[in-house]
């Protein structure tokens, strides 16, 4: 490692978390790990630990992601978005399961051979079939084709709201009322939050776990799975009234010590991270001034030395704090971590 900025991924903890989630979800048969976006930016090497933890199906966003994941595992892989119809044969050859998200889409690929799950739109208004009539026609076309219907699913969009979520389950039941769900191998609905906050329905036998695998959940005892680490590159003694960095955005209130870290917005530390903390030797220090593309400034004291390790993102709690500070969600804080940041895998 040449640049002293890296993302540490704790593989044993990912495996531990997945084991615990699956123990909690033992009434389900299909534990689908959503490993899209390179495992929420931690890198697809995490898949080995996710599979060791007991995941028995994988899901990704695109065929491109599925083909990358296919190199690592023989498990089934579901693509959550409709793929370009030109590539259904590649999907079939690689045992990649496709999503049928509308009747029109099915009509364009109904003469091909592949395995699919039907996506139901239960009020999210993103992808999926949202009425019984269309669903009945989709099932009829599939039954008359070479397409294997393996699963059916929907997505919960606001698990924090019981009424909305109950209405989503009700809507799913209504749309699928002419189908014998017990005849479909995999019926999967819950994402991470739904899994831990709602009881299992009899007709559902699968869940899709995502962010919870990385420790984001208060109900189960899970472990931290990653840290973004950098090392103090330089320390500046700044006199009272002097400014720091681009546009002189920070002015020293008194004689101060400013440490420079080699990590910036090109690494995913967006400029609105200014004002939040990083951890050095267990102590919090504030990011000041304008964050540069490759570096940022922190206000420190004389305990901080060049070469000291700085936790730019320390753990779950810190990730959540950062999300609040930059007015987003923990998912985005993770996905922001730039591809330039080297991934270092620890057992
Ligand atoms: C990303 C995604 C998930 C996983 O969501 P989490 O909230 O991370 O558990 C599940 N299902 C679909 C359709 C998704 O897009």
């Amino acid at each position: 490692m040449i640049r002293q900025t890296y993302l540490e991924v704790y593989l044993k903890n990912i495996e531990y978390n997945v084991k615990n989630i699956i123990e909690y979800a033992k009434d389900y048969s299909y534990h689908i790990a959503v490993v899209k976006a390179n495992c929420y930016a931690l890198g697809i090497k995490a898949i080995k630990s996710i599979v060791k933890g007991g995941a028995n199906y994988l899901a990704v966003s695109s065929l491109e992601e599925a083909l990358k994941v296919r190199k690592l595992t023989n498990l089934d892989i579901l693509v959550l978005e409709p793929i370009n119809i030109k590539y259904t044969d590649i999907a079939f050859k690689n045992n990649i399961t496709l999503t049928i998200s509308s009747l029109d889409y099915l009509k364009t690929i109904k003469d091909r051979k592949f395995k699919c799950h039907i996506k139901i739109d239960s009020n999210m208004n993103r992808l999926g079939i949202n009425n019984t009539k269309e669903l009945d026609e989709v099932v009829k076309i599939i039954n008359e084709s070479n397409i294997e219907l393996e699963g059916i699913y929907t997505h919960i969009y606001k698990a924090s709201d019981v009424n909305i979520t109950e209405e989503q389950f009700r809507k799913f039941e209504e749309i699928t009322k002419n189908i014998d769900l017990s005849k479909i191998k995999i019926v999967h609905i819950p994402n991470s939050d739904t899994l831990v906050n709602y009881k299992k329905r009899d007709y559902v036998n699968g869940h899709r776990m995502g962010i919870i695998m990385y420790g984001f959940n208060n109900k189960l005892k899970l472990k931290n799975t990653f840290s973004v680490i950098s090392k103090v590159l330089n320390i500046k003694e700044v006199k009272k009234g002097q400014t720091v960095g681009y546009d002189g955005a920070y002015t020293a209130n008194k004689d101060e010590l400013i440490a420079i870290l080699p990590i910036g917005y090109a690494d995913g530390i967006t400029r609105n991270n200014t004002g939040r903390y990083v951890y050095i030797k267990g102590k919090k220090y504030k990011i000041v001034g304008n964050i540069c593309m490759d570096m940022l400034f922190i206000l420190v004291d004389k305990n901080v030395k060049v070469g000291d390790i700085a936790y730019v993102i320390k753990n779950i709690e810190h990730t959540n704090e950062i999300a609040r500070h930059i007015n987003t969600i923990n998912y985005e804080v993770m996905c922001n971590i730039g591809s330039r940041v080297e991934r270092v895998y620890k057992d």
Side-chain angles (χ1 to χ4, degrees), residues 179-221:
I179 297 177
D180 182 354
L181 289 174
S182 71
K183 296 255 160 63
I184 297 185
K185 187 172 161 200
I186 314 176
V187 181
H188 51 106
I189 295 183
N191 66 334
S192 298
D193 272 2
T194 313
L195 176 69
V196 290
N197 291 314
Y198 294 82
K199 65 176 199 313
K200 182 183 169 299
R201 316 282 147 144
D202 288 341
Y203 59 85
V204 177
N205 66 353
H207 65 90
R208 298 184 307 277
M209 52 187 170
I211 199 159
I212 192 173
M213 298 189 289
Y214 309 116
F216 291 89
N217 184 260
N218 296 327
K219 268 201 181 164
L220 310 184
K221 282 244 169 338

Side-chain angles (χ1 to χ4, degrees), residues 141-170:
I141 293 173
I142 291 174
N143 285 341
E144 291 164 355
S145 73
N146 282 322
I147 303 166
E148 177 190 346
L149 175 57
E150 183 194 54
I152 188 163
Y153 70 108
T154 193
H155 192 41
I156 301 299
Y157 67 90
K158 195 178 183 187
S160 59
D161 188 314
V162 177
N163 293 329
I164 286 177
T165 302
E166 291 298 334
E167 175 57 22
Q168 282 202 267
F169 278 106
R170 198 202 58 74

